[in-house]
């Protein structure tokens, strides 16, 4: 009886670093840490270590890892982990403050003086992983939504629940989120 393990992916000639062939024509395991983490998370969320659940988790992890390997994403190359920790703390604080602000807006009667709207933020960030993290940050922050991104001009469109000062908000996105993300990814 064989057990499922991290997927083996055949490598075309000139494959990327993460899919380098081994001696003897074999290929190395692609994303073994991700595969293991997904399997462990599957088992933890299911609150079981039954063989059947482990096999299903292994299949799900294998499918996810194979799908990721097909995306041919550029290596993320985190260069400044301490900046990532500081960014995470900043985001957590901003989310907490925004929760209070949005709750206050929603629970108050009437919307006097409140204007919702769209703003455009010119971004210098071009790394796809950095843009994905920025999208997660903006969408996770109550009162803000990532509404669109124009890759040619590098312009992010955001919807804001309580648009008070557009210029201050553009500065905040660029200084609080974009600058650290550029330091991490570019």
């Amino acid at each position: 009886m064989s057990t499922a393990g991290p997927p083996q992916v055949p490598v075309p000639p000139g494959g990327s670093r993460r899919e380098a062939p081994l001696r003897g024509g074999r290929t190395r395991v692609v994303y073994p840490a991700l595969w293991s983490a997904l399997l462990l998370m599957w088992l933890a969320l299911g609150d079981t270590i039954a063989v059947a659940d482990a096999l299903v988790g292994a299949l799900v992890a294998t499918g996810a890892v194979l799908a990721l390997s097909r995306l041919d994403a550029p290596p993320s190359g985190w260069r400044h982990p301490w900046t990532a920790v500081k960014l995470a703390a900043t985001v957590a604080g901003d989310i907490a403050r925004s929760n209070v602000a949005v709750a206050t807006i929603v629970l108050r009667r009437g919307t006097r003086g409140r204007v919702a709207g769209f703003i455009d933020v010119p971004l210098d960030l071009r790394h796809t992983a950095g843009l994905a993290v920025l999208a997660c940050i903006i969408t996770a922050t109550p009162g803000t939504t990532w509404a669109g991104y124009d890759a040619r001009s590098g312009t992010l469109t955001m919807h804001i629940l309580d648009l008070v000062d557009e210029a201050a908000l553009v500065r905040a996105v660029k200084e609080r989120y974009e600058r650290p993300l550029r330091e991490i990814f570019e």
Side-chain angles (χ1 to χ4, degrees):
M1 178 174 167
S2 67
T3 59
Q8 302 286 325
V9 176
V11 178
S16 66
R17 259 186 320 127
R18 69 174 186 263
E19 297 176 350
L22 299 174
R23 291 185 189 146
R26 298 175 300 152
T27 58
R28 72 182 184 104
V29 175
V30 179
Y31 302 115
L34 176 62
W35 185 89
S36 300
L38 288 172
L39 176 60
L40 290 173
M41 192 167 29
W42 180 272
L43 294 173
L45 289 173
D47 196 26
T48 181
I49 56 169
V51 173
D53 290 321
L55 288 174
V56 171
L59 288 173
V60 169
T62 299
V65 167
L66 287 174
L68 180 62
S69 68
R70 302 284 297 188
L71 289 176
D72 197 30
S76 63
W78 286 37
R79 289 188 289 256
H80 300 281
W82 183 244
T83 302
V85 169
K86 290 190 291 188
L87 176 62
T90 299
V91 170
D94 289 350
I95 288 174
R97 278 190 295 280
S98 291
N99 271 308
V100 171
V102 168
T104 302
I105 291 169
V106 170
L107 296 175
R108 274 195 197 145
R109 291 187 177 251
T111 57
R112 292 181 296 265
R114 303 285 181 196
V115 177
F118 291 90
I119 65 167
D120 289 329
V121 180
L123 296 177
D124 299 316
L125 179 66
R126 295 290 187 266
H127 194 281
T128 54
L131 289 168
V133 172
L134 182 60
C136 291
I137 291 169
I138 289 171
T139 303
T141 305
T144 62
T145 303
W146 177 289
Y149 177 70
D150 182 2
R152 282 181 298 198
S153 66
T155 302
L156 160 66
T157 302
M158 293 174 58
H159 181 268
I160 309 299
L161 177 64
D162 186 20
L163 185 56
V164 176
D165 184 356
E166 183 175 338
L169 193 54
V170 169
R171 270 192 318 277
V173 168
K174 292 188 74 60
E175 292 171 9
R176 294 178 69 80
Y177 307 135
E178 183 188 28
R179 186 183 45 77
L181 286 170
R182 287 191 72 198
E183 192 176 320
I184 294 166
F185 289 105
E186 293 183 340

